[in-house]
Amino acid sequence: MLTRALEHLRKNVTNRPKRKKTLVSHLLASLGKTATETDVMNLIERLRQGGHLSIGDKDGVTYHD
């Protein structure tokens, strides 16, 4: 799931979500019906810990790849 999400976000550089809430919706849609919101929140945390993105004070998302 992590590699699929990374590939999707890297492929759509100009159309990445700018807020955490939008990122959750975006990943839910791209990962399909098998992913739950809890899965996506865990995935976002893994992306953050891996240095692929950071989330600011106002839930703004910054990508690092």
Side-chain angles (χ1 to χ4, degrees):
M1 191 180 317
L2 179 67
T3 53
R4 200 163 114 195
L6 275 173
E7 287 174 5
H8 181 72
L9 291 171
R10 287 178 179 154
K11 184 173 67 173
N12 297 310
V13 175
T14 58
N15 194 24
R16 293 183 197 174
K18 297 192 183 358
R19 298 272 174 231
K20 184 177 178 181
K21 182 178 178 181
T22 314
L23 178 61
V24 170
S25 300
H26 185 79
L27 289 175
L28 274 171
S30 69
L31 294 174
K33 295 179 181 180
T34 59
T36 64
E37 189 166 336
T38 304
D39 294 336
V40 171
M41 295 302 283
N42 290 334
L43 176 62
I44 290 171
E45 184 60 25
R46 287 175 46 205
L47 289 169
R48 193 188 62 73
Q49 289 176 349
H52 300 288
L53 59 84
S54 59
I55 299 175
D57 294 337
K58 296 182 181 180
D59 283 345
V61 179
T62 304
Y63 299 92
H64 305 291
D65 50 19

